[in-house]
Amino acid sequence: MSMGLTFLGIESSCDDTAAAVVRDDRTILASVVAGQAALHADFGGVVPEIAARAHAEKLDLCVEAALAQSGLALRDLDGIAVTAGPGLIGGVLSGVMLAKGLAAGSGLPLVGVNHLAGHALTPRLTDGVAYPYLMLLVSGGHCQFLRVDGPEEFTRLGGTIDDAPGEAFDKVAKLLGLPQPGGPSVEAAARAGDARRFALPRPLLDRPGCDLSFSGLKTAVLRQRDELVAAQGGLHEQDRADLCAGFQAAVAEVLAEKTRRALAASPAPVLAVAGGVAANQTLRAALQAVAAGAGATFLAPPLRLCTDNAAMIAWAGIEAYQAGQRDGLDLAARPRWPLDQRAAPMLGAGKRGAKA
């Protein structure tokens, strides 16, 4: 009797090397993630060449560990899913080449997965959410509102025209002398801060639609910091906390209002959020309130499945395979790959990859 489909997933689009084994009954048999934070700590951001080399060194080890954790061998699998873009091209290429080698050696089907589709389909893996639903993908490299109608049916309602929120958090942390990654550092500092002390902007709230911008907000924090340093010869702890609180409140207000507009433009029974920034409790509370106001269920997958991981790639691969997708050994690694092929390209490209 068949146990259903079991897929190996491989992810290497940014600075996390990951492999996972997932079944089509939504069971995650194994999930291994090797981070690179220590390698990039001295540079204030992800260095593409360093990331690519680390992926090349760790990918096979992560796959071995995932198979061992699952208790399965390659011959027990039904397919291999790999992130084929978008992302830092060196890392994506490393993963694609490994997946091709495994597929060629084992004879298993190969499925190339859009990294963003992995995030967007995560609520189906974690909670079995039915189509359609609204997804807010909010991370270090991407921010967009997506209506999800099927494994390959995505409608972008809006997105960032410059920095992604996670990128803005990282940059604000850096200019305030806080450690990376910036999201947790800014959130921790903000707990002791007064969000009303500084009048920071709420970009694009005066314009209709669901597009977002965070570059100007980051610059406003920089100017406020420089004014404080010039006036008092340095930055006090309370100054830092108040700036973090003000910045975080501005991001939360913008995301909440744009989410309200997205739900009004495309009503859906579920509002799901994914990406590392979804871990921020202030942002999460604001989004929960918006969902409640619209009569929608709010869903945030566990943090380990919000940030980059291979379980979501394996699951997206299973859904694509069930829809008939098969890729050959000519599968290309793509630095840019928009989910909504009909939408106009977003402006800007952040440090963690193109805004797609």
Side-chain angles (χ1 to χ4, degrees):
M1 181 176 175
S2 173
M3 291 285 289
L5 295 175
T6 303
F7 263 57
L8 170 69
I10 298 171
E11 154 64 19
S12 57
S13 66
C14 188
D15 60 338
D16 286 316
T17 310
V21 179
V22 175
R23 281 203 314 242
D24 64 358
D25 64 359
R26 299 174 29 222
T27 301
I28 300 174
L29 299 176
S31 181
V32 175
V33 180
Q36 301 178 7
L39 297 178
H40 304 280
D42 294 337
F43 302 98
V46 178
V47 182
E49 184 175 346
I50 293 175
R53 289 183 179 183
H55 286 309
E57 293 173 359
K58 297 283 188 177
L59 272 164
D60 57 341
L61 301 177
C62 286
V63 168
E64 286 182 357
L67 290 172
Q69 195 177 103
S70 70
L72 300 176
L74 275 175
R75 63 178 176 273
D76 302 315
L77 304 178
D78 298 291
I80 298 171
V82 61
T83 296
L88 301 176
I89 190 61
V92 176
L93 189 58
S94 296
V96 168
M97 293 304 291
L98 174 64
K100 286 181 181 180
L102 291 173
S106 64
L108 290 171
L110 176 66
V111 177
V113 171
N114 186 309
H115 175 80
L116 303 180
H119 281 301
L121 297 178
T122 296
R124 291 183 47 79
L125 167 62
T126 58
D127 293 81
V129 173
Y131 298 118
Y133 55 92
L134 181 68
M135 163 62 71
L136 169 57
L137 174 55
V138 54
S139 68
H142 303 279
C143 182
Q144 54 187 293
F145 294 101
L146 296 164
R147 179 183 171 89
V148 186
D149 288 288
E152 298 174 349
E153 297 178 56
F154 305 96
T155 303
R156 194 185 72 217
L157 304 177
T160 181
I161 63 173
D162 44 52
D163 289 356
E167 184 173 355
F169 268 93
D170 284 348
K171 289 179 176 177
V172 165
K174 185 177 180 181
L175 65 89
L176 294 179
L178 295 171
Q180 298 292 327
S185 297
V186 170
E187 183 177 15
R191 294 191 187 105
D194 178 2
R196 297 164 297 179
R197 178 179 169 191
F198 300 108
L200 297 175
R202 270 61 173 166
L204 298 192
L205 279 193
D206 58 341
R207 300 188 200 175
C210 302
D211 285 344
L212 307 108
S213 169
F214 296 102
S215 181
L217 174 58
K218 173 202 66 185
T219 302
V221 174
L222 172 62
R223 287 176 178 161
Q224 197 68 66
R225 182 206 69 175
D226 289 347
E227 287 179 15
L228 288 168
V229 170
Q232 60 194 30
L235 204 61
H236 301 145
E237 270 314 300
Q238 193 58 51
D239 299 331
R240 187 177 283 110
D242 293 343
L243 282 169
C244 286
F247 168 77
Q248 181 175 262
V251 173
E253 186 176 331
V254 169
L255 281 175
E257 174 57 28
K258 296 293 185 172
T259 301
R260 191 175 292 111
R261 295 180 191 179
L263 279 168
S266 184
V270 172
L271 167 65
V273 60
V277 180
N280 184 289
Q281 294 303 309
T282 298
L283 301 187
R284 189 177 290 211
L287 295 172
Q288 281 179 309
V290 170
T297 299
F298 178 78
L299 177 63
L303 179 57
R304 64 188 174 84
L305 296 176
C306 279
T307 53
D308 289 352
N309 66 90
M312 68 180 189
I313 302 303
W315 177 259
I318 287 173
E319 290 220 37
Y321 182 85
Q322 290 172 331
Q325 181 180 334
R326 308 290 188 275
D327 289 298
L329 296 182
D330 58 349
L331 175 66
R334 304 169 65 173
R336 292 175 179 264
W337 188 2
L339 276 179
D340 185 350
Q341 301 288 338
R342 299 157 297 182
M346 299 298 297
L347 299 175
K351 71 180 182 188
R352 301 199 185 186
K355 301 299 178 293

